[in-house]
Amino acid sequence: WMNGLKNTASMKSGGWGGWEGDHENPPAYRIKEIFEIGKSRDSYVKPRDAGRILSKNDLAVAVAACPELKSFVNTIISVCGGVIIP
């Protein structure tokens, strides 16, 4: 999933610190950092870029790798009356 995100941002390997949980630095800020390090023409803009990122990458892979994202997605699913991800 991370490689797909880097490809969307036209980022080569390396040059980015990683993806550790940090409440002062939410995922959108980290994605923006990837876009700015990469060769993307613009910085990350959620309304413009999120759909493109999600259409090219399986969200389930990111959910499995990130407990905070899994919790967030499970909250949305439970509010909608769905079955949460174990």
Side-chain angles (χ1 to χ4, degrees):
W1 200 86
M2 183 55 65
N3 288 334
L5 177 59
K6 288 179 179 180
N7 287 339
T8 302
S10 301
M11 180 182 173
K12 305 239 187 251
S13 296
W16 185 65
W19 198 279
E20 296 298 322
D22 179 357
H23 297 289
E24 300 300 316
N25 188 12
Y29 289 10
R30 290 177 253 168
I31 294 171
K32 181 178 179 181
E33 180 183 355
I34 291 169
F35 269 67
E36 291 175 355
I37 290 171
K39 302 267 189 237
S40 182
R41 62 180 170 83
D42 295 315
S43 185
Y44 174 69
V45 178
K46 192 182 298 184
R48 182 193 65 212
D49 299 318
R52 187 168 49 128
I53 291 168
L54 291 173
S55 70
K56 294 179 180 179
N57 299 282
D58 184 359
L59 183 60
V61 175
V63 167
C66 179
E68 290 176 344
L69 179 60
K70 182 178 180 180
S71 176
F72 176 68
V73 170
N74 275 334
T75 299
I76 293 170
I77 291 171
S78 67
V79 167
C80 295
V83 177
I84 64 169
I85 302 165

